[in-house]
Amino acid sequence: MLKKEWPKHSILAIAIITTWLKTYIVYKTSFSITIENVLQEFILFINPLSMLLFIYGISLFFKSEKAKNRYMVSIAVITSIVLYGNVAFYRFFSDFITLPVLFQTENFGDLGSSAAASVFWTDLFYFSDVLVILLAIKFINVKQDKVVSSSVQRKAYYVLALAVLFFNLGLAEAERPQLLTRSFDREMLVKNLGMYNYHLYDIYVQSKSQAQRALADGSELVEANNYVRANQIEPSEDMKGIAEGRNLIVVTLESLQSFAINSEMNGQTITPFLNSLTEDEDTIYFENFYHQTGLGKTSDSEFLLENSLYPLSGGAVFFTHSGNTYNSMAESLGENGYSTNVQHANTKSFWNRDIMYESMNIDEFYDIESFEVGEGEAVNWGMKDIPFHEQSVEHMTEMQQPFYSRLLTLTNHHPFTLDEEDKLIDEYDSNSGTLNRYFQTSRYLDESIEVLFDELKEKGLYENSIIVMYGDHYGISDNHNEAMTQYLGEEVTDFTSAELQKVPFFVHIPGYGEGYVDDEVGGQIDMRPTIMNMMGIDTSKDIQFGGDLFSEEHEEFVVFRDGRFVTDEVVYAGNVCYDKETGEPTEQELCAPYIEQAFTELEYSESIINGDLLRFYDEEDGQLTTIPDVELER
């Protein structure tokens, strides 16, 4: 069979078909792509084809068969790397790579342990098409006449490629109208456009983003500011200034999701100290609070906290727009007499923090060099949380008061590993090692928070402080839904997945005496206005998309970075509207008004960041600074 002559484009056909089928298999086995009907499955099946036809088809222009074969092998290697890169990234982030993420090389060293936990020997499959093409080149006897295709043949070939592309786009538009203009969901883009077309689209979007800043003149800010003013609420009078003059301590609870609070794992309490705080007379605990981060994860949560702007859809703001002008919470507190700092026992360049903190006018950054990491005190990405908190409080004793100090914990981070002496509860018994270990690191994080409180009391800082704590992002991704189904005792649906994005939010005010559990639906976008009102600082002229959680006017509406949203009545996820109380699908019309609002807020926020529009804004008088006679609505 191998001795017979095959048609001259046999290798090309084999290359296209092999990479196409491999890509589809990877879609089905390595990504959690939701398929709701036969049309979506068909789109998923055909969407790699158009790009593969285009890029492999370039080989038709080569004169030498050897050069042609080398080119096809090179394309197979490149597409395999792109595909595998997304698989490895997805295992950790449950998302697809974007162009800015590829250039975040400063983070690669710190990602070592997490990346290693996501690599398996079976990953060689992702390069299987390269092997098939090499074998075909070696053993298949191809006709040697007319190696170079004629102009007519090439035109016919590319007409076919264009036909496949437009067929794909037509089906995608029918299935998901305005896909390219109104989608912040990368899974939706990959599902409808294909992995390879998605990356081309991402390059276009990122290029457009860079052009936006260069061409911006400030007029773009008018609509966004008018929207913010129209939706502005009056902050709570009862909570206004309740912590004025106190030290502000904000603690990021790394990867902690709300399902761990007031819960047990095989009869063992996961977070005993945080559980006690939910019943503490000096604590207000928000039980319906959601993270709103994107690819920037912890850094995105910091961005939300400081600015009450949404993070970007395609990368970490800390990396892509660290040189922008911002009106951060730290800057406002600094203008009101506070010394400001962040404490984080990791390298200062991770997530580009050293540069971004300067842009946000944070006075000092206590990075890993500011801590003494003793023997047995390092784990995963840096210093263990207990010694970190002990030394952080020691730093606080030397700070000018009042101070604003933000603490970023580390131990409860993927891959959730601990030294034996730090394991205070047993592992879970699911098929997911990640979830099994997660409960142990969450328990250790809880223990470290109790140490923090004890240290603050011992050093005399507790009574004159307010302590705010929030979960920064999910710890358990959708890749572990089977294990989560076992733990929760119910299937993890799109609705359940959205509800699992709840993270704890604690406001602890020593001496308050009126603590309670608040069921208000809110998100990280609301942290800045809530905290600033408690500190007695007016934000009425700031451009912020959140609102004071304590205000009676607060709208119970939380937008996720991918376009999903939650209200007090409905949850919108997977393009389905769910009743929040029952978790069952309900009339789509109930979600329709919020879909437009979610898109509007995300779009306005993104335009502010991409255009660096706050450089044109004077927060003191609420006017543009570079365009005469333009008064923004108050």
Side-chain angles (χ1 to χ4, degrees):
M1 180 179 176
L2 295 178
K3 291 181 179 180
K4 77 169 188 177
E5 282 194 326
W6 287 53
K8 66 178 180 179
H9 297 312
S10 296
I11 305 297
L12 174 61
I14 289 171
I16 293 170
I17 292 171
T18 305
T19 305
W20 175 20
L21 294 178
K22 181 197 74 173
T23 304
Y24 178 68
I25 292 170
V26 172
Y27 284 167
K28 300 300 292 180
T29 59
S30 301
F31 303 118
S32 300
I33 297 177
T34 304
I35 298 297
E36 299 168 357
N37 53 53
V38 175
L39 178 57
Q40 289 185 7
E41 189 70 63
F42 181 68
I43 294 172
L44 187 71
F45 176 67
I46 68 164
N47 69 35
L49 183 56
S50 61
M51 177 54 65
L52 296 176
L53 284 170
F54 274 104
I55 56 176
Y56 275 119
I58 293 174
S59 65
L60 296 173
F61 294 87
F62 286 84
K63 295 180 180 179
S64 162
E65 185 175 5
K66 182 178 289 187
K68 177 180 177 180
N69 291 339
R70 285 177 177 171
Y71 171 79
M72 287 189 286
V73 171
S74 298
I75 292 300
V77 170
I78 292 170
T79 55
S80 295
I81 290 172
V82 169
L83 197 61
Y84 179 60
N86 277 278
V87 169
F89 188 80
Y90 195 91
R91 287 171 180 168
F92 182 49
F93 290 104
S94 288
D95 212 331
F96 300 95
I97 292 176
T98 65
L99 192 63
V101 171
L102 289 177
F103 291 99
Q104 289 168 208
T105 54
E106 295 93 336
N107 287 357
F108 290 172
D110 297 275
L111 287 168
S113 60
S114 294
S118 301
V119 175
F120 311 100
W121 70 267
T122 51
D123 291 349
L124 290 172
F125 167 77
Y126 299 106
F127 296 85
S128 58
D129 55 331
V130 179
L131 177 61
V132 171
I133 296 169
L134 287 172
L135 291 173
I137 291 170
K138 182 173 179 62
F139 294 109
I140 288 180
N141 183 26
V142 180
K143 265 188 177 182
Q144 297 300 309
D145 60 317
K146 296 183 182 179
V147 173
V148 180
S149 301
S150 69
S151 175
V152 173
Q153 289 176 320
R154 291 196 295 266
K155 285 180 181 178
Y157 176 90
Y158 275 99
V159 166
L160 172 64
L162 281 170
V164 173
L165 174 62
F166 286 119
F167 179 60
N168 184 176
L169 290 176
L171 291 177
E173 183 65 20
E175 176 63 28
R176 177 68 171 175
Q178 298 179 299
L179 174 68
L180 298 181
T181 56
R182 310 205 68 173
S183 179
F184 295 105
D185 186 347
R186 278 175 291 280
E187 179 183 314
M188 193 67 64
L189 291 169
V190 171
K191 181 165 71 173
N192 287 281
L193 298 180
M195 180 67 72
Y196 311 114
N197 287 329
Y198 153 71
H199 282 296
L200 283 183
Y201 177 71
D202 179 51
I203 291 171
Y204 161 74
V205 170
Q206 301 306 328
S207 300
K208 181 181 176 183
S209 165
Q210 297 303 313
Q212 277 183 272
R213 189 187 192 284
L215 299 174
D217 61 10
S219 60
E220 304 90 343
L221 190 58
V222 176
E223 283 190 27
N225 186 71
N226 289 345
Y227 176 85
V228 169
R229 296 292 160 254
N231 291 276
Q232 188 167 297
I233 65 173
E234 285 295 321
S236 166
E237 280 296 326
D238 291 340
M239 299 300 287
K240 185 175 182 179
I242 196 169
E244 186 173 356
R246 292 193 184 206
N247 302 314
L248 171 61
I249 301 168
V250 177
V251 184
T252 300
L253 303 172
E254 173 64 46
S255 302
L256 190 63
Q257 292 171 250
S258 293
F259 73 79
I261 305 296
N262 289 320
S263 297
E264 292 185 346
M265 181 276 296
N266 290 341
Q268 300 173 91
T269 304
I270 306 165
T271 57
F273 182 70
L274 293 176
N275 293 354
S276 70
L277 286 183
T278 66
E279 301 175 353
D280 188 273
E281 64 178 9
D282 294 334
T283 302
I284 302 153
Y285 173 62
F286 290 85
E287 63 179 359
N288 283 310
F289 185 83
Y290 297 80
H291 85 86
Q292 295 168 284
T293 64
L295 287 174
K297 296 300 184 241
T298 301
S299 70
D300 278 356
S301 77
E302 295 181 70
F303 183 76
L304 282 150
L305 168 73
E306 290 287 348
N307 301 286
S308 193
L309 296 173
Y310 294 98
L312 291 174
S313 59
V317 185
F318 268 45
F319 184 81
T320 60
H321 294 80
S322 60
N324 277 15
T325 297
Y326 297 105
N327 178 26
S328 69
M329 182 167 70
E331 180 180 349
S332 294
L333 286 165
E335 291 169 352
N336 283 269
Y338 277 72
S339 61
T340 62
N341 65 79
V342 176
Q343 303 194 57
H344 184 41
N346 199 345
T347 54
K348 64 180 181 180
S349 62
F350 192 60
W351 285 122
N352 208 32
R353 284 190 171 98
D354 53 340
I355 306 299
M356 188 61 162
Y357 288 170
E358 287 186 18
S359 294
M360 292 196 296
N361 288 300
I362 293 171
D363 296 335
E364 191 168 1
F365 181 18
Y366 295 85
D367 70 340
I368 189 63
E369 299 299 325
S370 302
F371 296 87
E372 294 182 11
V373 184
E375 185 177 349
E377 291 184 348
V379 68
N380 293 340
W381 291 40
M383 190 178 189
K384 292 179 181 178
D385 291 342
I386 289 178
F388 166 69
H389 282 142
E390 290 171 343
Q391 293 186 38
S392 293
V393 175
E394 192 63 40
H395 289 151
M396 292 178 196
T397 63
E398 301 171 357
M399 294 174 188
Q400 174 188 322
Q401 298 190 44
F403 59 75
Y404 163 39
S405 187
R406 193 146 53 76
L407 313 183
L408 303 179
T409 59
L410 275 170
T411 307
N412 191 38
H413 197 293
H414 187 274
F416 308 113
T417 55
L418 276 179
D419 292 332
E420 283 300 322
E421 64 268 21
D422 298 318
K423 295 178 180 179
L424 305 175
I425 58 176
D426 298 330
E427 280 195 11
Y428 189 47
D429 54 0
S430 74
N431 65 352
S432 166
T434 296
L435 179 62
N436 297 347
R437 297 187 298 271
Y438 177 78
F439 293 106
Q440 293 182 319
T441 53
S442 295
R443 175 68 182 85
Y444 178 87
L445 170 60
D446 177 84
E447 189 79 8
S448 78
I449 298 301
E450 184 172 12
V451 169
L452 171 65
F453 274 61
D454 290 342
E455 289 292 312
L456 289 170
K457 292 173 182 177
E458 183 179 326
K459 301 297 184 183
L461 294 168
Y462 175 77
E463 295 294 338
N464 193 41
S465 297
I466 173 175
I467 305 165
V468 176
M469 300 182 291
Y470 72 95
D472 55 353
H473 55 78
Y474 66 77
I476 304 302
S477 71
D478 287 342
N479 295 325
H480 306 279
N481 281 352
E482 184 180 341
M484 281 302 297
T485 294
Q486 176 184 330
Y487 174 71
L488 297 173
E490 62 178 277
E491 182 184 0
V492 178
T493 63
D494 286 340
F495 169 82
T496 315
S497 177
E499 287 294 270
L500 283 171
Q501 305 316 304
K502 287 181 185 177
V503 293
F505 183 54
F506 293 88
V507 175
H508 183 78
I509 311 169
Y512 177 58
E514 300 177 24
Y516 60 96
V517 175
D518 198 320
D519 63 359
E520 184 82 4
V521 173
Q524 292 171 335
I525 200 83
D526 299 314
M527 292 189 292
R528 182 187 194 272
T530 302
I531 294 171
M532 294 283 272
N533 186 53
M534 289 191 294
M535 305 309 289
I537 298 174
D538 178 29
T539 61
S540 61
K541 292 177 181 174
D542 294 351
I543 293 182
Q544 53 186 13
F545 286 88
D548 178 13
L549 286 166
F550 295 111
S551 171
E552 293 182 0
E553 298 178 12
H554 178 261
E555 183 180 16
E556 298 189 80
F557 174 60
V558 178
V559 185
F560 295 174
R561 181 56 269 187
D562 57 13
R564 291 178 295 171
F565 59 78
V566 176
T567 75
D568 56 331
E569 295 181 345
V570 296
V571 172
Y572 183 71
N575 299 317
V576 176
C577 190
Y578 294 91
D579 183 287
K580 193 172 193 302
E581 185 175 346
T582 66
E584 297 298 322
T586 186
E587 295 86 354
Q588 198 77 358
E589 291 75 19
L590 295 176
C591 287
Y594 297 107
I595 295 174
E596 184 67 26
Q597 183 179 351
F599 174 79
T600 299
E601 290 201 3
L602 292 173
E603 187 177 53
Y604 279 146
S605 180
E606 192 133 320
S607 69
I608 289 171
I609 298 167
N610 287 335
D612 190 12
L613 299 184
L614 293 181
R615 60 190 157 130
F616 301 115
Y617 188 71
D618 186 341
E619 62 269 13
E620 291 186 7
D621 58 18
Q623 292 187 356
L624 291 175
T625 59
T626 58
I627 300 179
D629 303 322
V630 176
E631 176 116 3
L632 299 183
E633 293 180 11
R634 287 185 168 76

